[in-house]
Amino acid sequence: MAASLGLVAFLALAGYALDRAFLQTAKDNLQQRLENYALAYADKSDFARNGEFIPPYDPIEPRFERPGSGLYAEVVLPNAHWDSHSAQGPLLPASQLLKPNEERFEGPLPMTQTKGMPGEVYRYGRGFIWSAQGDEKSEFPYTIYILEDTTALSTQVTVFRAALWRYLGSAGLILMLLQAVIMRWSLRPLRNVIHELKHVQRGLASRMSGRHPRELEPLTESINAFIESERENLDRQRNTLADLAHSLKTPLAVLRARLDHPGAEAELREEVDVQLRRMNDLVSYQLARAARSGHQLFAAPIAIEPHAEQIVRGLEKVYSGKGVLCEFDIAPGSQFHGEPGDLQELLGNLLENAFKWARSRVLLTVQPGEQVPNRRPGLLIAVDDDGPGIPPEKVALILQRGVRGDERVQGHGIGLAIVQDMVRGYRGTLDVRASEELGGARFEARLPPGL
């Protein structure tokens, strides 16, 4: 509707502009024609010795000789007045003597036609000087007026306007029909998206197809990513409940057996206390793991440096006996698109592992990752240390849950596994290799561009 109204308004303005331009052009042509008539009268006319005006022998235009023809000529003298035969009968506007070489174009001016009907005329006048053989004493001014009624010009304008609005109306109708066809064709992909989305809602399709114009690809990709994220969340919740149920099965079986074969009250109370604490630990662990898994789409960006500084301050106190110092190489404006808790877990586990194995130096590097148009940039987070490093054959082992790089070092062996699960949840990769800068180990997490 807005496009149609805009088109109609444009055609109306174009028609008005063309109408004004044609009317001005027609008036200019009329003025030029009347001027030519006046110059022809001045060139071919003469004056008698007594100053009487002598018109051209051959008529300038036959209409000047036909009474009431609509084309009139007047010559105004200081003490006389001459009219063409066509001006005999109509009552023309009063005219006056103009200065030499003065021009005047007026109209429309009121007049009365031969039959007494009111009418209008355009009038062009020009002042001249006549002298007999260059005698300045015999010079006198005179003015030639050429008048033409508005009928011819009005007819031209009427014909032009009828043709103009007829053509513009036809063009507008054709353009509106063409516009409707083009808009229906151009909006067809949106209807396809709505159709596919309804299929997904009804369970007839699992995701949006990839057959869409590039203008709609960000929309369909976001919808697909949202669908996949929701399914992953649902699967994660199911897995968490299944893991929790499986974990609680053994403590519940132990309690059931103790109730079926009760012993001393003190032993029963002790067993119930142990199993309840175990069940509480299992529930806390499963809930924490569920909270750490995956990430939300369209999360607000988080500044990395403040979180890194907070974590490092705490670790430097814990490992103050080793005198480990952490250096930052963080690109200005680096941001993490995700949950604050995920960023804390990611940085905390990587930095704690580095502090644990470093001799004296740790380096945290944060740089922009891969760049894709119309998407948020990727992110590179790397932590280097100057410790003993990790043999390549043990990399896969230390990333397993519950496995520690050195059994003599305190820990539970799940920190790096949590990092790996978290990076995978963000569709990223975790690479472990030797540090070229510090000589120890380098843990490098790469997060891809997001929606």
Side-chain angles (χ1 to χ4, degrees):
M1 181 64 68
S4 300
L5 291 177
L7 178 62
V8 170
F10 170 77
L11 291 177
L13 290 174
Y16 177 79
L18 291 174
D19 180 82
R20 295 293 94 190
F22 178 81
L23 182 60
Q24 185 61 43
T25 302
K27 287 184 177 181
D28 292 341
N29 292 336
L30 174 62
Q31 179 180 355
Q32 185 67 37
R33 189 171 69 256
L34 298 183
E35 181 182 2
N36 291 335
Y37 287 147
L39 294 176
Y41 264 101
D43 184 54
K44 298 182 179 181
S45 301
D46 202 353
F47 289 89
R49 291 182 178 180
N50 59 357
E52 181 181 355
F53 179 76
I54 302 174
Y57 180 77
D58 295 323
I60 302 298
E61 166 68 39
R63 293 173 61 192
F64 286 116
E65 302 298 321
R66 190 171 65 249
S69 66
L71 183 62
Y72 317 105
E74 291 182 327
V75 178
V76 179
L77 301 170
N79 298 312
H81 187 277
W82 176 88
D83 294 322
S84 64
H85 291 97
S86 60
Q88 305 299 322
L91 182 59
L92 300 177
S95 54
Q96 61 183 3
L97 197 65
L98 300 180
K99 297 178 181 179
N101 293 323
E102 180 184 354
E103 290 184 285
R104 185 177 297 177
F105 179 72
E106 304 169 295
L109 302 175
M111 55 89 68
T112 303
Q113 299 178 359
T114 304
K115 298 180 180 180
M117 300 293 294
E120 293 180 324
V121 293
Y122 287 97
R123 182 173 67 181
Y124 173 81
R126 183 164 184 172
F128 297 92
I129 292 181
W130 183 86
S131 63
Q133 298 178 356
D135 185 5
E136 296 181 1
K137 295 181 180 181
S138 62
E139 287 181 354
F140 61 88
Y142 70 100
T143 301
I144 298 178
Y145 284 101
I146 306 295
L147 301 90
E148 185 173 16
D149 62 20
T150 59
T151 303
L153 182 61
S154 299
T155 302
Q156 293 179 10
V157 173
T158 301
V159 172
F160 173 79
R161 285 175 175 171
L164 173 66
W165 294 114
R166 182 171 63 251
Y167 290 137
L168 283 179
S170 301
L173 181 61
I174 294 174
L175 287 175
M176 291 181 68
L177 292 176
L178 182 61
Q179 173 186 267
V181 172
I182 292 176
M183 293 189 69
R184 182 172 180 81
W185 170 76
S186 61
L187 294 177
R188 182 179 178 184
L190 282 178
R191 292 195 297 272
N192 293 339
V193 169
I194 295 174
H195 180 72
E196 290 186 8
L197 189 57
K198 288 182 178 179
H199 274 215
V200 173
Q201 292 173 341
R202 296 170 184 170
L204 302 177
S206 60
R207 67 196 310 275
M208 307 289 290
S209 70
R211 303 185 304 272
H212 296 286
R214 63 176 180 272
E215 293 83 1
L216 295 179
E217 285 180 357
L219 172 64
T220 56
E221 288 178 0
S222 298
I223 293 175
N224 284 332
F226 181 77
I227 294 172
E228 293 173 2
S229 177
E230 289 300 305
R231 286 176 179 163
E232 289 177 0
N233 289 336
L234 181 59
D235 292 340
R236 185 168 61 254
Q237 293 170 9
R238 289 173 178 171
N239 293 336
T240 301
L241 291 176
D243 292 346
L244 181 60
H246 183 271
S247 301
L248 294 176
K249 187 182 298 182
T250 301
L252 289 174
V254 173
L255 290 176
R256 180 75 266 175
R258 293 296 297 176
L259 290 176
D260 292 339
H261 303 88
E265 182 178 356
E267 293 181 359
L268 180 60
R269 291 176 62 86
E270 182 180 358
E271 186 64 33
V272 169
D273 181 64
V274 170
Q275 296 303 325
L276 286 177
R277 279 191 279 110
R278 183 182 178 189
M279 293 168 66
N280 184 66
D281 292 340
L282 289 172
V283 170
S284 299
Y285 167 71
Q286 293 292 353
L287 291 178
R289 190 183 71 168
R292 287 193 300 267
S293 300
H295 71 289
Q296 293 185 357
L297 292 173
F298 319 119
I302 304 170
I304 296 176
E305 190 167 0
H307 290 272
E309 290 178 349
Q310 180 182 4
I311 294 172
V312 168
R313 281 196 299 267
L315 290 173
E316 286 179 344
K317 294 178 181 179
V318 173
Y319 294 94
S320 59
K322 297 177 63 175
V324 178
L325 295 178
C326 182
E327 303 172 18
F328 286 175
D329 182 12
I330 301 178
S334 297
Q335 294 177 321
F336 174 80
H337 293 265
E339 294 298 315
D342 291 346
L343 179 60
Q344 291 277 1
E345 284 285 344
L346 182 62
L347 292 177
N349 283 300
L350 288 178
L351 288 171
E352 183 178 7
N353 181 76
F355 268 81
K356 185 184 301 182
W357 293 98
R359 294 187 179 92
S360 61
R361 292 181 61 195
V362 172
L363 174 62
L364 171 62
T365 303
V366 179
Q367 298 291 337
E370 182 183 357
Q371 303 284 336
V372 175
N374 301 323
R375 292 194 179 192
R376 69 190 186 204
L379 185 66
L380 167 66
I381 300 177
V383 176
D384 298 74
D385 63 66
D386 62 349
I390 302 173
E393 62 273 11
K394 287 189 176 182
V395 170
L397 183 65
I398 66 170
L399 294 178
Q400 296 179 13
R401 185 176 296 272
V403 177
R404 299 199 299 270
D406 190 339
E407 296 295 334
R408 295 169 297 179
V409 179
Q410 184 180 1
H412 299 285
I414 64 173
L416 295 178
I418 292 175
V419 171
Q420 180 169 249
D421 292 343
M422 189 175 299
V423 171
R424 286 177 178 174
Y426 280 86
R427 314 315 194 250
T429 59
L430 179 63
D431 183 29
V432 183
R433 61 176 186 271
S435 173
E436 297 180 359
E437 184 153 352
L438 300 184
R442 177 182 175 89
F443 290 80
E444 185 177 282
R446 289 184 177 272
L447 304 183
L451 295 173

